[in-house]
Amino acid sequence: NPAQPPGVWRAHLVSRAAETQRYVLAANVAGDQQHCPTMIVSPQGDVLAEVPDGKPAVLRHTIDLAAVSDGYLRQQRADVVSLSYPAS
């Protein structure tokens, strides 16, 4: 959405990663009107890799799946939502 100020979607991606304690991998088209960057964000909200605006590129990064936490999912109300977890 070109009406959105630049940086809004980037901030949403960082927040979502930290909020859910999961990696966020976002892909977008290369172009001048791009408002959501192509990037990889860690579960702590750190941007691990990002493609500059308007530049076509392939983004590669090794992620550590041990950094993912289930703390967020374990906070659900069992009386409202029922999720099963695989044995660790």
Side-chain angles (χ1 to χ4, degrees):
N1 180 359
Q4 290 282 335
V8 170
W9 285 107
R10 186 179 193 283
H12 286 310
L13 295 173
V14 170
S15 295
R16 184 53 48 100
E19 167 187 56
T20 61
Q21 300 169 2
R22 298 286 192 259
Y23 284 96
V24 169
L25 293 88
N28 200 348
V29 297
D32 296 334
Q33 298 299 318
Q34 174 176 301
H35 277 73
C36 183
T38 297
M39 60 195 296
I40 300 171
V41 186
S42 79
Q44 293 75 33
D46 299 320
V47 177
L48 302 176
E50 185 172 358
V51 175
D53 290 346
K55 307 269 183 187
V58 174
L59 187 60
R60 294 175 190 243
H61 191 83
T62 301
I63 59 175
D64 178 12
L65 294 179
V68 174
S69 170
D70 283 336
Y72 174 75
L73 292 175
R74 297 205 188 278
Q75 294 177 22
Q76 89 269 358
R77 291 180 47 188
D79 61 324
V80 177
V81 177
S82 176
L83 297 175
S84 59
Y85 299 97
S88 307

